[in-house]
Amino acid sequence: MAKIFVTRQLPGQALEALAQEHDVQIFPEPRPITEKELYEGIKDAEVLISLLTDRIDSKAIQAGPNLKIIANYAVGYNNIDVDWATAFDIAVLNTPGVLTDASADLAFGLLLAAARRIPEGDRFIRKGQWKGWDPSLLLGPHVSGKTLGILGMGRIGQAVAKRAIGFGMKLLYSNQRQLPAGIERELGAEFVTVNDLLTQSDFVSLHCPLTPETKHLINRKSLAQMKPGAILINTARGAVVDEDALVETLQSGHLFAAGLDVYEDEPNVHPGLLAHPQVVLAPHLGSATQETRNEMASLLVRGIQALFKNKVPNNLINPEIIK
Ligand code: DGY
């Protein structure tokens, strides 16, 4: 029986199943755990189930001398020092695949909401400002047939591309590696440089992980390269975008709008983004469907159980720890 510490109650039944075989302790508060509480929780735990808001750096890893597995309830794992975990032979798990559709749906929802000004329309009606149909009311750019640039063409980027096909959009993408020709053909997507993607797209949607290389990939210079009137969608990680630069570019009128699910300093949102009527804000909801959140927990539990049986789960980020 292993001691498993979980930093938040998770949706679904997966943790209950785990608790039938192991000593599962769940941090009881519905708020992010503090550093002190985390260190206390993992001081004798073999497994940590963490959230993307938990900073699992070298200090945290050293606070858990018995840790064998860190299972992160997210596909992104920029909150974990994976090199450090690997150096201590700790397996790191994440939740790829199961949140692809939910995340792509949200990205496309933000794109439509920002272009067609749906939240502004909602606020307009609720404030009692609607006086009747008006030929010039809340006009936005057409979506169908426009060019969508996808920056980061992994699972979620490709799922966004599939949705865009239904809107007859022209697809450009940038990625570390070019996709196999068959997938490019299926998606009708053209591999271009980041510069070409920025200068040619009407909509730019970000789907790359946050790494030292992608931090502030979208900065003052890249925002200036975007087409006048373009729309930026970010459902990846906040720090991929320099928010000060984004606010300036929006205020200058160079970009028409932005649709954001992630922020540089969550849960704090830049006041300039809060103040801008054409910025659509979501509170990091990419994977927030009941089915997806249940499946994310089940995937982590299956991964933990596999590792306990000396099997290698597909969602192991650092397979090099397996000797
Ligand atoms: C993830 O899993 O990395 C997403 O950001 C969750 O919405």
Side-chain angles (χ1 to χ4, degrees), residues 52 73-78 95 99 103 235-237 261-262 284-288 293 296:
L52 58 85
Y73 188 65
V75 69
Y77 48 85
N78 53 291
T95 64
L99 47 67
S103 305
T235 55
R237 283 292 180 266
D261 187 41
V262 288
H284 206 145
L285 295 178
S287 61
R293 291 281 166 87
M296 287 165 69

Side-chain angles (χ1 to χ4, degrees), residues 192-210:
V192 293
T193 63
V194 174
N195 282 352
D196 285 348
L197 183 140
L198 293 170
T199 54
Q200 292 173 29
S201 300
D202 301 297
F203 299 89
V204 172
S205 193
L206 307 178
H207 300 285
C208 52
L210 175 62

Side-chain angles (χ1 to χ4, degrees), residues 69-88:
I69 304 173
I70 299 170
N72 203 42
Y73 188 65
V75 69
Y77 48 85
N78 53 291
N79 57 312
I80 299 177
D81 189 332
V82 177
D83 288 343
W84 200 273
T86 305
F88 280 82

